[in-house]
Every structure is written in structure tokens, then in C-alpha cells.
């Protein structure tokens, strides 16, 4: 299965760091959506220049639990895209949001031993089911799967598309709170502090060569999900990229 081959290769580069280059965001869709969710109508970060990095690899905080909340989707595939986490080594996955997810839907992610469990709640907080998957590590990445049979990853080296300069294309950009802004991410009218424990993940769901690069196709806020710090060594990078050399470019519709 190609997904597993890609993820096994990703395991080799999981701790090799991530590109620090900023991703250009086109149009105003993402900025306007974040403005609308911010108290006073202004999100106080620029969606291109204030991206947080590294954000390739993640873990849960010390209590081994975190929440993911659907903010908004401005996309033709809004009712079809799915988002989840993947094991860096085995290829195991766990869905957090299905295509039917709506603003305010929440997935609570817990790690119990080697098992990750997702508990789902709808926009009014009612229980909507559970799912679980066994991972080989407490670290994981995020993935977005589209109805074009494309899967994009927080580890950009897995995405199979790159700019003319050879830099792997990011399909997820990240913003971290600093406590200076209040936000209403679920649209219920209650504003809460956007703290350093909160991150916004914004996705582009098309191969970049044929996309609008607006990164508003799925936007979620996570709490108590923590990016894994970039280590000091890049020793595994060459091995990881060699393993990815056989990966095909993502199919365009």
C-alpha cells in the first residue's frame, strides 16, 4: 500500500527537521475566516508571515489528551475531505473529522498506552461515537484525504509535489496563540483566549500546481496538541529522502 510505504519513509525523516520557508497564502479567504472568529474582527497574525514552524510532527501534552475543533471549511470538497492523524512508522491512521463534520464538531484524542482513542462530539456537545488505532510511537503527523484520492500530510516531504526550487510543498500551515487575542472558534458567540496551548491548522486540498493556494479548505483548532521540537541533527534526512525517491507525484483530477 503506497500510504504505508510513504509513512515508513517518513519515519526515517520524522526527526530530521522541517523546512523553515514560509508558505505563500493567496487571496483573503483564510485571513477573513480567522478575522471573523476573532474578537474585534481582526486576527492579529498575518497568515503568510506569522506561520509557526516546525509543525511536521506532533504529540499530546503531559496528560496524553487533547481536543481538535472544526472551525470552518471554504472548499468544494468540504463535505468529502477527512482529517486525521497517522503513525510515523507503521502507517496506522485515526480519523478525527469525517466529510460530514461541521463547524463546532470536536474530536477528543487520548493516548492510552500504545492506543490512540478519538471520541467525537457534535457542535452542541452531544456524544457522536468513538474510534481507536494502535500506533508505534507517541508522535504522529496530520493527514488530509480528498475525494480526488489525494492524501496530504503535515510532513511536506510526503506530499509528492514541489516548487521549481525543489522545496517540498506544504499543504498545512500552522498558527500558535500567545494569549493576546480572544477567539470564538466554534461560532457559539463565546470568546476565549487564544493561548500558547492552542494551534490553528489550515489546509490546501489540491495539488499546489493546480490550486488557488488559499489554505482555507479545512481549518481546525487544536488544544494540548504539541509540535515536536526540531532536533539538532539532520543525520537521517538523506535516508528519508532516498526512501521517498520512488514515491509518485500526487494524482491530479
Amino acid at each position: 500500500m503506497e500510504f504505508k510505504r510513504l509513512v515508513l519513509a517518513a519515519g526515517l525523516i520524522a526527526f530530521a527537521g522541517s523546512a523553515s520557508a514560509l508558505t505563500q497564502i493567496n487571496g483573503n479567504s483564510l485571513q477573513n475566516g480567522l478575522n471573523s472568529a476573532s474578537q474585534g474582527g481582526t486576527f492579529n497574525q498575518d497568515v503568510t508571515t506569522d506561520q509557526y514552524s516546525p509543525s511536521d510532527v506532533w504529540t499530546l501534552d503531559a496528560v496524553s489528551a487533547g481536543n481538535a475543533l472544526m472551525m470552518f471549511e471554504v472548499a468544494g470538497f468540504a463535505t468529502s475531505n477527512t482529517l486525521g492523524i497517522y503513525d510515523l512508522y507503521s502507517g496506522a491512521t485515526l480519523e478525527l473529522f469525517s466529510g460530514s463534520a461541521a463547524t463546532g464538531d470536536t474530536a477528543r484524542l487520548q493516548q492510552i498506552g500504545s492506543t490512540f482513542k478519538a471520541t467525537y462530539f457534535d457542535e452542541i456537545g452531544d456524544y457522536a461515537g468513538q474510534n481507536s488505532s494502535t500506533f508505534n510511537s507517541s508522535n504522529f503527523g496530520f493527514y488530509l484525504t480528498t475525494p480526488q484520492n489525494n492524501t496530504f500530510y503535515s510532513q511536506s516531504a510526503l506530499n509528492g509535489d514541489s516548487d521549481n526550487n525543489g522545496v517540498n510543498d506544504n499543504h498545512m500551515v500552522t498558527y500558535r496563540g500567545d494569549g493576546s487575542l480572544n477567539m470564538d472558534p466554534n461560532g457559539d458567540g463565546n470568546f476565549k483566549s487564544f493561548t500558547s496551548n492552542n494551534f490553528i491548522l489550515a489546509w490546501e486540498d489540491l495539488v499546489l500546481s493546480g490550486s488557488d493556494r488559499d489554505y482555507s479548505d479545512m481549518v481546525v483548532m487544536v488544544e494540548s496538541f504539541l509540535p515536536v521540537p526540531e532536533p539538532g541533527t539532520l543525520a537521517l534526512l538523506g535516508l528519508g529522502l532516498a526512501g521517498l525517491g520512488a514515491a509518485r507525484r500526487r494524482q491530479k483530477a
Side-chain angles (χ1 to χ4, degrees), residues 3-4 7-8 86-93 133-136:
F3 174 79
K4 289 191 175 182
V7 174
L8 287 171
Y86 62 92
D87 185 359
L88 304 175
Y89 304 99
S90 71
T93 63
S133 184
T134 299
F135 281 27
N136 288 347

Side-chain angles (χ1 to χ4, degrees), residues 143-218:
Y143 73 85
L144 179 76
T145 297
T146 82
Q148 292 182 322
N149 295 319
N150 286 329
T151 300
F152 301 113
Y153 305 92
S154 56
Q155 289 178 285
S156 58
L158 296 180
N159 289 329
D161 52 354
S162 61
D163 296 326
N164 293 333
N165 61 7
V167 175
N168 295 301
D169 285 334
N170 289 322
H171 282 259
M172 185 188 87
V173 293
T174 305
Y175 308 95
R176 187 176 194 173
D178 61 6
S180 65
L181 176 69
N182 291 327
M183 298 192 74
D184 173 20
N186 62 355
D188 67 355
N190 295 313
F191 290 86
K192 298 179 180 179
S193 180
F194 182 41
T195 73
S196 61
N197 199 34
N198 299 125
F199 293 85
I200 292 171
L201 315 178
W203 290 83
E204 174 55 53
D205 66 1
L206 295 173
V207 173
L208 292 198
S209 61
S211 78
D212 55 13
R213 298 178 181 238
D214 64 4
Y215 287 81
S216 59
D217 298 323
M218 182 179 286

Side-chain angles (χ1 to χ4, degrees), residues 1 17 22 32 61 77 83 87 105 110-111 113 155 177 245:
M1 184 178 183
L22 296 172
N32 288 344
D61 72 4
F77 296 153
L83 183 138
D87 185 359
D105 285 1
Q110 295 173 278
Q111 184 182 3
Q155 289 178 285

Side-chain angles (χ1 to χ4, degrees), residues 27-47:
N28 298 316
S29 181
L30 178 58
Q31 191 79 57
N32 288 344
L34 297 176
N35 287 345
S36 295
S38 302
Q39 195 164 36
T42 300
F43 184 66
N44 62 353
Q45 298 184 35
D46 181 274
V47 294

